[in-house]
């Protein structure tokens, strides 16, 4: 397969000013006629060929300026990549002269299982064009720097598909012959083709409106298949909040008269920001207390906001090429994170984001797929919709704000929009706008875009001089080598630091941002009245690992007193990591696990019984770091079973030591719920209470005693909503008792008619700890409700299993061969999904030798598979190199 390189970027030979599309939708054949109004790029030579991308298209006709072209040297041809070539000698020499290229192609959405381009999902047709799906609809310059004005006409059966949608404003509609109807649309904003969308279906909708700051009324409409329409209200509420927030925080107003969203069952991504017509995976839009957890509600609001925010960061200002993906994704994730922080608890959101970063992005940065947030090369662009581009990308944007202040960041954003509205630009353009708006030097900051790997910031020493009243810290940085990038240079790292009184726990000085630029630097704090305890990397001010030797007592002190909510939580995580690591080392050496340190148990008990902290923060503070996060803290090669057992040992130890308090707090919360009449509520305190109560139940279940089994069954039976019921299921999932099976059956009975509930039912079983989980997963894949072609169900079974670290790494290699078999099968249908699972096998070098060899053998099996897709092959090649 061919690799594309960032530095090879060249502007296109031609521009496409206008696109007129006509879709004639019939069962098994959709005919697409396209008229492209083009002109030559002045920078390209006269006589250059026009080469249009196309994939899986049946070409019917090509016309140039209304004249039919024949295939051959005097007409059109195809190059070795099957692209359509219009001979340059036929095209105007004058770059100002417009010409029209008209193609007619046939496509078959019903057989498009890749879910890229135009495809059928259930009873509806819909599109997904990012990154390179538009070429699967018609011949085009399928690259984001080609921005065009679009008109679209679509015709289909009126009775089967009463709803016809595309980007922009509908300009006409009516009946056509043979019981068909049509609609046409005009989008007044030039856009890259990846933002094109078309939906044809039997849909129902809810609608509302939003008046923008300048007084324009926007019609908002959200569509789904009829049976889901009652679950769209939360999405509408979220959309309005997002629209208002973007006006208030960034001065960005919506720019069309309509904003439509459509929910689809079969979707590779979470959602897609097509101009004025977002398409959403049902999992990220449908909400009801019976089907969605509180976390689902929060996620839906975040993703609705994310896609809406793309209208400015992505659509109005887009990417010049796909290497710049983080320009829109990192920035838009940052914006949705800020929005969610404003909508609920800022500290809780920050903790959730960092848990995700550490469990998903840090491993990516430490594995064979490590890449900078702006990758240097790719084979399949779809492989680069990664946690690095998105989540680390968002952290890089956040660092601009930390370095420049909120005010300075806003100035940079304003300049970015003023300079680049309507353009396709680069990450360097964004950095230049930030630097210029603040007259700040951000040259070294570019390295965040150039280097892969998670930097390590080490506090080499921290000392206090009472005579000078000075506190001094020496800080160094290094970034581990990553594939293809042995040498790393120092980064510009903002380290938000506070000093606390050891006596009172109060702040001795307000937080300040230290700017680490060299390999090692000394920072001196003056006028410090007493020896302080330092709180470093507050609010996780840079995406780094912090190495800072502290005693368990100091960490327990920070857990109790740090005035930075994030670092108070972080101190608990650090302490827990030390304890789990210690247990892991003992188990790995064949020794018995050590007793839990008293200071750790008491600190945990203190959090458990506290009554003066936010219950969501309390929940996160009681939770131990997950296995994926812990892997990064342990020297490779990892023994996954010892790691799992070490973490379980610590969990159990805490629960045994605090059993009485756990039950008391749980009962108190249960009584509170009962006192309110057992009514389901979605306000923040109710969510936080539910979160804590559900987490306590899952904690207690680690003991697997009959009392907790009974409690879990009761919790399930009396649960007010999905959050309660699914927590009870998780509590029982690891306990081999008849009650477990009964509750699983009951849940199935309540869920079998709802695809999203079924996904939860699948996932809880695939994540179980029970010894026969591999066999269960194989059975689940044969279950009548499982669908290999539906990405949500595939993720619910295979994705959840591959993330089940203990069983994926089962000693006999059965987990690896299961995942490899699935990859081979799925790759034939949907390479984007298959390649995501291949990433799990690619991490073989980090695992102990026996398992490592088995994982590698499965990767080799994939390598030797005939007709493996480029997507999966890219992961396999990188994994094996
Ligand atoms: N642009 C792909 C989906 C998203 O990140 O919004
Ligand atoms: Zn996005």
């Amino acid at each position: 397969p061919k690799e594309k390189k960032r530095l090879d970027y060249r502007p296109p030979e031609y521009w496409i000013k206008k696109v007129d599309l006509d879709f004639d939708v019939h069962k098994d054949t959709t005919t697409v006629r396209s008229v492209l109004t083009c002109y030559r790029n002045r920078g390209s030579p006269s006589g250059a060929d026009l080469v249009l991308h196309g994939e899986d298209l049946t070409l019917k006709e090509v016309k140039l300026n209304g004249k039919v072209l024949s295939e051959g040297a005097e007409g059109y041809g195809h190059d070795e990549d099957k692209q359509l070539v219009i001979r340059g000698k036929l095209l105007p020499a004058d770059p100002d002269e417009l010409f029209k290229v008209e193609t007619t192609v046939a496509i078959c959405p019903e057989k498009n299982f890749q879910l890229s381009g135009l495809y059928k999902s259930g009873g509806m047709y819909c599109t997904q064009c990012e990154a390179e799906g538009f070429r699967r609809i018609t011949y085009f310059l399928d690259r984001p720097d080609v921005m065009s004005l679009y008109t679209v006409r679509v015709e289909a059966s009126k009775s089967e598909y009463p709803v016809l949608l595309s980007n922009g404003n509908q300009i006409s509609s009516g009946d056509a012959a043979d019981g068909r109807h049509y609609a046409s649309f005009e989008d007044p904003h030039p856009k890259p083709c990846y933002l094109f969308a078309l939906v044809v279906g039997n849909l129902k909708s809810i609608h509302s409106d939003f008046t923008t700051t300048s007084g324009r009324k926007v019609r908002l409409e959200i569509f789904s298949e009829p049976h889901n329409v009652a679950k769209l209200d939360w999405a509408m509420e979220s959309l309005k909040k997002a629209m208002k927030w973007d006006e208030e925080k960034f001065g960005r107003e919506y720019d069309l008269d309509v904003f439509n969203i459509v929910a689809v069952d079969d979707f590779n991504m979470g959602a897609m920001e097509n101009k004025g017509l977002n398409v959403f995976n049902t999992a990220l839009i449908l909400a009801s207390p019976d089907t969605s957890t509180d976390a689902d509600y929060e996620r839906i609001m975040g993703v609705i906001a994310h896609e809406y925010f793309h209208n400015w960061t992505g659509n109005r200002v887009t990417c010049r090429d796909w290497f710049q993906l983080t320009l829109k994704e990192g920035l838009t994730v940052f914006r949705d994170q800020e929005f969610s922080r404003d909508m609920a608890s800022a500290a809780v959101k920050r903790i959730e984001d960092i848990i995700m970063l550490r469990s998903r992005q840090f491993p990516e940065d430490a594995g064979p797929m490590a890449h900078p947030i702006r990758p240097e090369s790719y084979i399949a662009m779809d492989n680069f919709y990664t946690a690095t581009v998105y989540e680390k990308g968002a952290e890089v944007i956040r660092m601009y704000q930390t370095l420049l202040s909120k005010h300075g960041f806003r100035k940079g954003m304003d300049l970015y929009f003023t300079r680049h509205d309507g353009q396709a630009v680069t990450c360097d353009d964004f950095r230049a706008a930030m630097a210029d708006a603040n007259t700040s030097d951000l040259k070294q900051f570019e390295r965040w875009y150039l280097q892969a790997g998670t930097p390590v910031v080490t506090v080499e020493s921290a000392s206090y001089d009472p005579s000078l009243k000075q506190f001094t810290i020496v800080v160094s940085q290094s970034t581990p080598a990553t594939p293809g990038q042995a040498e790393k240079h120092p980064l510009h790292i903002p380290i938000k630091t506070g000093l606390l009184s050891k006596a009172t726990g109060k702040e001795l000085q307000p937080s300040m941002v230290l700017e680490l630029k060299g390999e090692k630097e000394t920072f001196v704090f003056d006028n410090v009245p007493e020896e302080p305890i330092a709180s470093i990397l507050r609010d996780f001010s840079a995406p780094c690992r912090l190495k800072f030797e502290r005693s368990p007592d100091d960490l327990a002190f920070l857990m109790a007193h740090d005035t930075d909510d994030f670092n108070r939580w972080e101190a608990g995580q650090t302490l827990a990591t030390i304890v789990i690591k210690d247990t892991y080392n003992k188990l790995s050496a064949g020794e018995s696990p050590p007793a839990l340190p008293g200071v750790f148990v008491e600190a945990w008990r203190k959090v458990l019984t506290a009554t003066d902290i936010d219950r969501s923060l309390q929940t996160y503070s009681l939770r131990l770091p997950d296995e994926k996060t812990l892997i990064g803290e342990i020297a490779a090669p990892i023994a996954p079973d010892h790691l799992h057992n070490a973490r379980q040992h610590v969990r159990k130890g805490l629960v045994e030591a605090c059993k009485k308090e756990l039950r008391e707090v749980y009962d108190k919360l249960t009584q509170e719920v009962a006192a309110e009449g057992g009514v389901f509520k979605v306000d923040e305190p109710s969510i936080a209470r539910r979160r804590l109560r559900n987490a306590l139940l899952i904690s207690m279940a680690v003991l697997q005693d009959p009392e907790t089994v009974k409690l879990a069954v009761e919790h399930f039976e009396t649960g007010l909503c999905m959050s309660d019921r699914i927590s009870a299921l998780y509590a029982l999932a690891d306990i081999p008792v008849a009650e477990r099976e009964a509750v699983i059956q009951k849940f199935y009975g309540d869920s079998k008619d709802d695809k999203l509930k079924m996904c939860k039912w699948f996932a809880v079983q695939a994540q179980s700890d029970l010894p026969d989980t591999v066999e269960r997963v194989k059975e689940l894949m044969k279950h009548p409700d499982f669908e290999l072609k539906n990405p949500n169900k595939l993720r619910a079974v295979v994705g959840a299993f591959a993330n089940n670290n203990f069983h994926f790494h089962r000693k006999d290699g059965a987990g690896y061969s299961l995942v490899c078999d699935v990859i081979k099968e799925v790759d034939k249908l949907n390479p984007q999904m298959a390649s995501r699972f291949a990433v799990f096998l690619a991490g073989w070098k980090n695992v102990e030798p026996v398992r490592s060899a088995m994982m590698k053998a499965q990767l080799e099996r994939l390598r030797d598979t005939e007709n493996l897709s480029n997507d999966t092959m890219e992961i396999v090649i990188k994994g094996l190199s």
Side-chain angles (χ1 to χ4, degrees), residues 191-202:
K191 64 170 175 282
C193 65
Y194 81 86
L195 292 173
F196 167 79
L198 180 77
V199 172
V200 173
N202 177 15

Side-chain angles (χ1 to χ4, degrees), residues 472-514:
T472 304
I473 55 172
V474 179
V475 186
S476 68
Q477 62 165 302
S478 64
T479 303
T482 50
Q485 208 177 53
E487 206 189 325
K488 308 282 182 177
H489 302 284
L491 296 154
H492 183 175
I493 304 180
I495 305 176
K496 196 170 167 195
T497 302
L499 302 182
L500 298 167
S501 161
K502 269 190 180 172
T504 64
K506 296 249 158 54
E507 296 252 333
L508 292 172
Q509 285 188 355
S511 277
M512 62 172 76
V513 176
L514 312 175

Side-chain angles (χ1 to χ4, degrees), residues 130 271 273 306-307 310 313 328-329 332-333 336 390:
E130 186 175 3
E273 70 264 25
H306 178 98
E307 305 310 331
H310 266 314
T313 49
K328 73 177 178 80
E329 294 305 345
T332 306
V333 171
D336 84 52
Y390 275 64

Side-chain angles (χ1 to χ4, degrees), residues 204-377:
K204 288 275 177 274
S205 67
I206 60 165
H207 67 88
S208 185
D209 52 51
F210 179 85
T211 305
T212 67
T213 330
S214 66
R216 230 166 17 80
K217 203 164 164 185
V218 182
R219 181 183 161 87
L220 313 175
E221 191 157 5
I222 308 185
F223 298 82
S224 70
E225 292 192 74
H227 62 279
N228 283 327
V229 79
K231 296 179 196 153
L232 298 173
D233 294 331
W234 177 251
M236 183 65 88
E237 200 181 310
S238 304
L239 175 61
K240 288 186 192 169
K241 284 187 170 149
M243 293 179 87
K244 191 155 168 16
W245 186 88
D246 213 16
E247 289 183 345
E248 287 170 2
K249 292 290 156 127
F250 285 102
R252 297 295 120 196
E253 230 182 282
Y254 186 62
D255 55 6
L256 283 167
D257 300 335
V258 288
F259 188 83
N260 291 323
I261 303 181
V262 179
V264 246
D265 273 331
D266 302 291
F267 206 67
N268 283 342
M269 299 193 183
M272 179 64 210
E273 70 264 25
N274 315 302
K275 183 79 188 185
L277 176 52
N278 288 187
V279 175
F280 269 65
N281 186 324
T282 41
L284 287 164
I285 188 161
L286 302 180
S288 79
D290 176 52
T291 56
S292 320
T293 61
D294 293 325
D296 291 331
Y297 272 81
E298 282 171 14
R299 219 164 138 231
I300 289 166
M301 184 180 273
V303 179
I304 292 270
H306 178 98
E307 305 310 331
Y308 173 73
F309 297 155
H310 266 314
N311 192 53
W312 275 95
T313 49
N315 302 6
R316 294 284 293 237
V317 185
T318 195
C319 300
R320 185 194 71 176
D321 54 75
W322 288 123
F323 296 101
Q324 316 296 329
L325 181 61
T326 198
L327 172 78
K328 73 177 178 80
E329 294 305 345
L331 179 54
T332 306
V333 171
F334 167 77
R335 274 152 54 70
D336 84 52
Q337 289 178 347
E338 290 294 277
F339 166 77
S340 297
R341 285 182 87 159
D342 284 351
M343 292 301 119
S345 155
V348 171
K349 174 67 180 153
R350 190 71 187 132
I351 289 167
E352 287 169 346
D353 290 341
I354 299 314
I355 289 174
M356 225 263 265
L357 185 83
R358 284 180 173 150
S359 63
R360 290 192 43 221
Q361 196 280 324
F362 279 22
E364 196 166 88
D365 244 350
M369 274 294 287
H371 52 277
I373 62 166
R374 180 181 62 188
E376 292 296 336
S377 68

